[in-house]
Amino acid sequence: MTLVDSHAALAVGPLRTVPNYITAVRTVAAVTVGVLAIVSGSVGLMAVSYVIYWIGDVLDGWTARRLGQETRAGAVFDIVSDRACTAVLCVGLIALVPGIAVVALVFLLSFLVLDTMLSLAFLCWPVLSPNYFHLVDRRVWALNWSPVAKVANTAGVICAIAFGQHLLALGVAIAVVAVKLWSAAAVVRLLERDGRA
């Protein structure tokens, strides 16, 4: 298995990069608008906060690649910021649409625990971020960090909720949990195989 240059992949910083500034701004903006949405009871503002989060998340990653500023510290900062945004926005959705509490609980536990551990697993190999996990295992990458998987894992649940399809949202959330559990088991096997466990 050929991985990226170990020295480059294991470098932590620099921390002061354009993508990290974008991550900070989109996190503060999405969380602030999300809190305002909760306080004012506005589903519209909550939708705006999700748009800020998603556009910012795409923009920071695109900028990192475009400017050659991908770093392991930036990847971890992005992962942590995604959890901050998702936690606030999901709790906000529960406050605004109480009928989704079960869906939100399943989704939050999956995203905040299983997906966090999976996303940070890249640190066990000399790759820059989860976006490069295909260099370690293509199936795990395809199910978790490929462009299609990134959209399906979060947007699938949120879009189903937005269209009032709470049962479908629950089904998608449970399917995501199943994928994350399978992926976690696969990563454990990889760690054992590579003597990293």
Side-chain angles (χ1 to χ4, degrees), residues 181-193:
L181 287 171
W182 180 88
S183 299
V187 167
V188 168
R189 286 191 300 273
L190 289 168
L191 288 166
E192 291 170 346
R193 178 200 73 190

Side-chain angles (χ1 to χ4, degrees), residues 28-136:
V28 170
V31 169
T32 300
V33 174
V35 169
L36 290 173
I38 295 167
V39 170
S40 65
S42 171
V43 174
L45 271 180
M46 186 57 66
V48 169
S49 66
Y50 268 102
V51 169
I52 292 168
Y53 164 41
W54 285 335
I55 289 175
D57 196 27
V58 169
L59 186 60
D60 62 15
W62 180 84
T63 303
R65 288 183 295 279
R66 184 80 174 166
L67 298 178
Q69 294 182 347
E70 292 179 280
T71 64
R72 287 163 71 88
V76 171
F77 184 37
D78 183 71
I79 290 166
V80 171
S81 294
D82 287 349
R83 273 71 194 160
C85 290
T86 298
V88 169
L89 301 182
C90 203
V91 168
L93 276 178
I94 294 169
L96 297 171
V97 188
I100 65 156
V102 173
V103 175
L105 178 65
V106 170
F107 177 77
L108 271 177
L109 287 174
S110 170
F111 193 69
L112 296 179
V113 179
L114 283 172
D115 190 69
T116 299
M117 292 306 296
L118 280 170
S119 295
L120 292 173
F122 83 93
L123 294 168
C124 296
W125 287 273
V127 293
L128 283 169
S129 74
N131 294 327
Y132 294 94
F133 206 79
H134 59 88
L135 297 169
V136 177

Side-chain angles (χ1 to χ4, degrees), residues 10 20-21 30 39 44 47 73 98 111 123 129 137 145 158 180 189 195 197:
L10 293 176
N20 285 352
Y21 291 133
V39 170
F111 193 69
L123 294 168
S129 74
D137 187 281
W145 304 293
I158 300 303
K180 300 298 177 189
R189 286 191 300 273

